[in-house]
């Protein structure tokens, strides 16, 4: 027995199969689309091919990965349980709903499902920025049960995006209060800024707070919020037009740091 295990991951609909040692370190991966097995070391070549045998389809190229960057090497060294990159938009909510879906019949819709729909809508929009030099991490866990809904990293800087379901409702923003329709105002912008501050502490870099409203009929902002942006799900991609802050190497280094769960354990 080689002691190797194969761990599948998905990102933007693309599958990769990582070959891991018993301690969780990756030593190779199989890229189905490229039909290539990338080996980090030739020492375990045959063991890797044996482990991947049931998954290989057709002829494949085998060899070292094409000149990995320091950020890529850092990512490959992550234990799969510590890598946040495969998280889906609303990952924490999806897990919670799978564990406890709630009663089949209820008078009002489960608010968790509305929150999940909001995170999915914003997350899908942010994921579309990936080809423009941006990276997005979803459902980044913070100590105490909190989380950053989406962390956007790219040439324009870092953004902690908090989503709010506002379908067919009027939204009034009077910093720090946010009012949905006729509901009681909530000091939501304090939470948005606090999440961004914790992310800044973890990454030792400035992280800008963003509130993303999903599906509002109207948005009234009484005055520009302090240090925070207000966007809707239809214009969240405008964040990609921001630039001139981070170099590509800095973006990759921060992304490699942010995707490691251990980065967030003491914030």
């Amino acid at each position: 027995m080689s002691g190797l295990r194969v761990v599948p991951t998905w990102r933007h609909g693309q599958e990769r199969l990582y070959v891991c040692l018993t301690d969780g370190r990756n030593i190779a991966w199989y890229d189905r689309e490229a039909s290539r097995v990338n080996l980090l070391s030739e020492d375990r070549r045959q063991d890797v091919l044996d482990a991947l045998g049931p998954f290989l389809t057709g002829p494949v190229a085998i060899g070292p990965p094409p000149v990995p960057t320091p950020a890529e090497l850092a990512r490959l060294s992550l234990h799969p349980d510590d890598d946040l990159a495969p998280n889906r938009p609303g990952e924490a909510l999806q897990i919670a709903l799978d564990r406890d879906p709630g009663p089949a019949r209820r008078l009002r819709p489960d608010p968790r499902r509305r929150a999940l729909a909001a995170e999915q809508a914003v997350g899908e929009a942010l994921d579309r920025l990936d080809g423009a030099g941006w990276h997005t991490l979803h459902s980044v866990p913070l100590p105490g049960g909190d989380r950053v809904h989406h962390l956007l990293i790219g040439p324009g800087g870092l953004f902690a995006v908090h989503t709010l379901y506002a379908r067919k409702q009027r939204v009034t923003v009077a910093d720090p209060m946010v009012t949905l329709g006729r509901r009681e105002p909530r000091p939501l912008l304090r939470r948005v800024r606090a999440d961004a501050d914790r992310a800044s502490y973890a990454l030792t870099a400035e992280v800008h707070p963003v509130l993303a409203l999903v599906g509002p009929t109207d948005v009234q902002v009484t005055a520009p919020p302090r240090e925070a942006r207000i966007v809707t799900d239809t214009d969240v991609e405008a964040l990609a037009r921001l630039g001139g802050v981070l170099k590509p190497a800095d973006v990759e280094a921060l992304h490699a740091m942010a995707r490691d769960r251990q980065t967030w354990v003491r914030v």
Side-chain angles (χ1 to χ4, degrees), residues 165-188:
Y165 184 91
R167 186 75 63 191
K168 296 182 179 180
Q169 296 185 75
R170 178 178 180 178
V171 180
T172 303
V173 180
D175 193 2
M177 311 303 288
V178 177
T179 306
L180 283 182
R182 298 181 179 179
R183 299 182 191 178
E184 288 294 318
R186 292 190 298 147
L188 185 58

Side-chain angles (χ1 to χ4, degrees), residues 48-181:
V48 166
L49 294 178
D50 290 343
L52 287 173
F55 306 97
L56 299 178
T57 54
V60 296
I62 304 169
V67 194
T69 65
E72 288 173 328
L73 289 175
R75 170 178 56 79
L76 290 170
S77 68
L78 283 179
H79 188 285
D81 292 341
D82 286 333
D83 190 356
L84 301 176
N87 280 7
R88 302 161 293 178
E91 181 80 20
L93 285 172
Q94 294 193 56
I95 292 173
L97 285 166
D98 288 342
R99 290 175 177 171
D100 177 20
R105 295 182 179 179
R106 53 190 302 162
L107 296 178
R108 295 182 178 179
D110 190 330
R112 296 177 300 170
R113 297 193 181 278
R114 291 183 171 181
L116 175 59
E119 290 191 42
Q120 289 174 330
V122 173
E124 289 169 4
L126 293 174
D127 281 342
R128 288 194 288 270
L129 306 180
D130 190 68
W134 293 77
H135 298 290
T136 305
L137 297 171
H138 305 291
S139 210
V140 176
L142 301 173
D146 293 331
R147 59 194 174 86
V148 175
H149 292 178
H150 315 280
L151 182 67
L152 180 64
I153 306 170
L158 296 91
F159 300 88
V161 182
H162 186 96
T163 64
L164 180 63
Y165 184 91
R167 186 75 63 191
K168 296 182 179 180
Q169 296 185 75
R170 178 178 180 178
V171 180
T172 303
V173 180
D175 193 2
M177 311 303 288
V178 177
T179 306
L180 283 182

Side-chain angles (χ1 to χ4, degrees), residues 39-46 62-64:
L39 298 169
L40 295 182
S41 172
E42 283 284 343
D43 296 344
R44 302 294 298 271
R45 180 188 182 99
Q46 192 56 52
I62 304 169

Side-chain angles (χ1 to χ4, degrees), residues 150-231:
H150 315 280
L151 182 67
L152 180 64
I153 306 170
L158 296 91
F159 300 88
V161 182
H162 186 96
T163 64
L164 180 63
Y165 184 91
R167 186 75 63 191
K168 296 182 179 180
Q169 296 185 75
R170 178 178 180 178
V171 180
T172 303
V173 180
D175 193 2
M177 311 303 288
V178 177
T179 306
L180 283 182
R182 298 181 179 179
R183 299 182 191 178
E184 288 294 318
R186 292 190 298 147
L188 185 58
L189 288 182
R190 289 178 186 165
R191 159 76 186 279
V192 176
R193 283 192 285 260
D195 288 348
D197 288 344
R198 295 174 76 179
S200 296
Y201 180 83
L203 300 172
T204 62
E206 184 177 14
V207 179
H208 305 282
V210 177
L211 176 63
L213 306 170
V214 176
T217 56
D218 183 49
V219 179
Q220 296 289 330
V221 181
T222 59
R226 177 176 57 85
E227 301 174 352
R229 294 174 181 267
I230 309 295
V231 300

